[in-house]
Amino acid sequence: MFHFTIQEPAAQSPAPPQAIDAFGQLPQLASTFDHVDGLFYFTYAVCIFFFVLIVGVLLFSVVKYRRKTWDQPPQSSVTHNTPLEVVWTVIPLIIVMVMFAWGYMGARDMTIAPAEASRNLYKATAKQWNWTFSYPNDPAQSFNEVWVVKDKPVEFLLESTDVLHAFYLPAMRVKRDVIPGRYQTIWFQPTQLGQFHLFCAEYCGKDHSRMYAKVHVVTAEEYAKRPWDLWDDSTPAAAAKSGASLYSQICASCHTVNGTPSVGPSWKGLFVKNADGTIVGRQREVIEGGARKTITVDEAYILESIKKPDAKKVAEEPYVRNAMTAFPDLEERKIKGLIEYMKSLADTK
Ligand code: CUA
């Protein structure tokens, strides 16, 4: 298959526009699964051929055999034609069996990983509406972004903690449903450096369309720098900056930072700045164990709200009704970064 070429992006550059193939239908292939394109275009060609044939015969018949006067008798009384019916049953049957066998072999190829890919095992956890990635032999996780090495086969163990999702990476030509209560696997061998889009391809609720991630295919040297774990908390300002980038990955879909109401309460005003520059938590009304109480926002409250969001819910519509995704495994330094970021939003009283 003929492909347009794209330039290799420099590290850190934004996602390149993903080139499409000669027929303008598929993103440029970036893995070894080249058999998928053949099946796609075979199916496409069959559909176009039969669409043109059927609609053509239909239009021809409508014009040629239309009734020309109100009392014109039928031109033919034929009700069926056995050889014709056998032909239009057997030929499509053969065609769909070819598609089935071709698709079955492709699905088997992408779900049964070779040993080399299984030794490079990642985990992708889907939940409304985020992707969390774990790396082989590495304790750190990343959110909505994952790094893999070019030319190295990689297997993903897929897991959902809530509803059905689907792991869909068009440039690699892989797709598999992510099913709650069950592990699924998928593998591929990336062949191009760059950033590629991972989509959720199974409708999973309100923010399904925003549930996507970036897959970075990098060199082994770049990978060795562990780009998913860059977290600078050497100063409060650096921690706030790290927290801000984590906020945009996992919190921004529900919490604003400018006071605008959203699914969850805005982070603006959680902390306020006194005239002397000290930053203190504001008081807020919450429901704890069914009882309304007033608390002062502090680090313990925020930590609890990230790990167990239902413990103290903001006693205000609609927040008292809305449920938040819990992040029980979020590392402490990352929670501290988020808190520094919240504090950086404090205004003078
Ligand atoms: Cu997750 Cu759609």
Side-chain angles (χ1 to χ4, degrees):
M1 187 71 54
F2 174 78
H3 290 298
F4 293 115
T5 51
I6 51 167
Q7 285 198 311
E8 269 180 18
Q12 306 301 322
S13 69
Q18 297 200 7
I20 53 177
D21 72 332
F23 293 101
Q25 295 297 308
L26 295 167
Q28 191 186 30
L29 179 68
S31 79
T32 53
F33 285 132
D34 51 1
H35 54 271
V36 176
D37 297 22
L39 175 56
F40 179 86
Y41 283 114
F42 174 73
T43 309
Y44 198 24
V46 165
C47 292
I48 290 176
F49 175 78
F50 281 101
F51 177 81
V52 170
L53 181 73
I54 292 168
V55 173
V57 170
L58 199 77
L59 291 175
F60 174 79
S61 305
V62 162
V63 173
K64 169 123 184 151
Y65 300 111
R66 71 185 191 281
R67 191 164 63 176
K68 293 172 184 98
T69 57
W70 286 110
D71 51 0
Q72 181 182 332
Q75 294 201 354
S76 159
S77 56
V78 172
T79 57
H80 64 279
N81 180 328
T82 306
L84 188 60
E85 285 172 27
V86 169
V87 167
W88 79 38
T89 305
V90 170
I91 290 177
L93 180 71
I94 292 170
I95 293 172
V96 293
M97 288 313 288
V98 168
M99 287 177 189
F100 170 77
W102 197 338
Y104 176 78
M105 288 188 298
R108 201 189 46 188
D109 285 351
M110 69 179 66
T111 51
I112 302 176
E116 204 191 341
S118 299
R119 281 194 293 273
N120 186 25
L121 182 67
Y122 288 58
K123 190 162 141 194
T125 304
K127 63 182 168 188
Q128 288 169 324
W129 290 278
N130 288 293
W131 294 96
T132 306
F133 299 98
S134 303
Y135 295 77
N137 306 316
D138 194 299
Q141 296 182 318
S142 60
F143 301 94
N144 296 338
E145 256 184 299
V146 65
W147 282 261
V148 298
V149 177
K150 178 175 176 276
D151 295 327
K152 190 171 177 187
V154 49
E155 180 174 3
F156 278 83
L157 190 63
L158 309 175
E159 176 194 60
S160 165
T161 59
D162 43 38
V163 300
L164 274 176
H165 303 271
F167 182 99
Y168 179 35
L169 197 37
M172 305 297 164
R173 305 291 193 266
V174 293
K175 179 177 181 183
R176 191 151 199 211
D177 281 1
V178 187
I179 300 173
R182 168 169 170 176
Y183 285 125
Q184 302 267 80
T185 57
I186 197 146
W187 80 280
F188 55 90
Q189 182 173 355
T191 55
Q192 301 229 5
L193 292 174
Q195 295 175 32
F196 302 93
H197 296 301
L198 167 70
F199 297 96
C200 175
E202 182 67 53
Y203 182 69
C204 56
K206 182 176 75 68
D207 283 345
H208 158 70
S209 63
R210 284 159 73 177
M211 183 171 168
Y212 46 76
K214 243 188 253 168
V215 177
H216 303 264
V217 178
V218 296
T219 58
E221 298 81 66
E222 191 70 26
Y223 184 88
K225 293 184 202 151
R226 303 174 68 249
W228 56 91
D229 199 31
L230 301 176
W231 187 269
D232 182 3
D233 50 12
S234 51
T235 63
K241 200 169 163 228
S242 298
S245 92
L246 184 59
Y247 160 83
S248 65
Q249 290 171 48
I250 59 172
C251 315
S253 53
C254 297
H255 299 278
T256 69
V257 290
N258 61 5
T260 311
S262 181
V263 177
S266 179
W267 285 6
K268 189 179 172 67
L270 276 172
F271 292 92
V272 284
K273 194 182 264 178
N274 284 327
D276 64 359
T278 55
I279 291 176
V280 294
R282 180 172 280 177
Q283 299 217 312
R284 103 182 321 184
E285 300 268 298
V286 297
I287 305 286
E288 184 178 23
R292 175 182 278 259
K293 58 172 71 169
T294 303
I295 58 146
T296 302
V297 171
D298 59 11
E299 302 193 359
Y301 163 71
I302 289 167
L303 186 133
E304 182 185 55
S305 298
I306 291 171
K307 300 203 165 197
K308 287 190 234 151
D310 289 341
K312 296 186 181 68
K313 296 193 77 172
V314 174
E316 196 182 310
E317 289 288 345
Y319 314 129
V320 70
R321 274 186 289 123
N322 291 349
M324 172 181 144
T325 306
F327 294 90
D329 303 323
L330 193 60
E331 294 160 75
E332 190 135 349
R333 61 187 179 136
K334 299 204 167 164
I335 294 178
K336 288 208 165 118
L338 290 175
I339 292 172
E340 284 305 327
Y341 178 52
M342 291 171 184
K343 287 183 174 170
S344 74
L345 303 168
D347 272 341
T348 314
K349 235 187 234 177

